[in-house]
Amino acid sequence: MNRRAFLRTTGVALGAVALAGLPVRAQGLEGEDLANLEKALQAVLGRGFKDLTPSNLVKLTMPAIAESGANVPAEVEVNLPSSQVKAIHLFADKNPTPHLVAFMPMKALPYYATRVRLAETTAIRAVVETVDGKFLLASASTRVTVGGCG
């Protein structure tokens, strides 16, 4: 293998590894609107985006593409005991009202599945508030072909 082919192959592999290792917030999701999200986070949680910790303990499942934003499935799984989870929140960066839902699992499993309305292509955030005051984050992006908020 010549040097150019080696660098091209290695560069692609290293680029994928580097991207996979970055925190979710550093990857630049499609439909991201951090200014709108920041206002909602402050209003609902009294915290900013910088206070959220990307975590593999939170799994957010959203479709990559939604034909209609009026009825988009969302699923949040938290890999923590229910006694450690105070609340699960969903936010959509570009929605007119970004805070979609708050769920307090109490003694139930820390899992929530629902359908949400999305105004346009947007980043979706699952924020898990723990009983010890941490805010764990998982993010995804859904491309909406027809908006569902009006």
Side-chain angles (χ1 to χ4, degrees), residues 58-64 72-78 90 111-116 124-126 138-142:
V58 181
K59 180 182 175 190
L60 172 62
T61 305
M62 298 288 300
V72 182
E75 180 180 23
V76 182
E77 291 180 72
V78 184
L90 276 177
Y111 169 85
Y112 189 74
T114 188
R115 293 188 174 269
V116 297
I124 297 92
R125 318 295 177 152
S139 299
S141 183
T142 296

Side-chain angles (χ1 to χ4, degrees), residues 125-144:
R125 318 295 177 152
V127 178
V128 174
E129 184 178 357
T130 64
V131 294
D132 61 355
K134 294 178 184 168
F135 292 87
L136 307 178
L137 172 71
S139 299
S141 183
T142 296
R143 180 173 288 178
V144 177

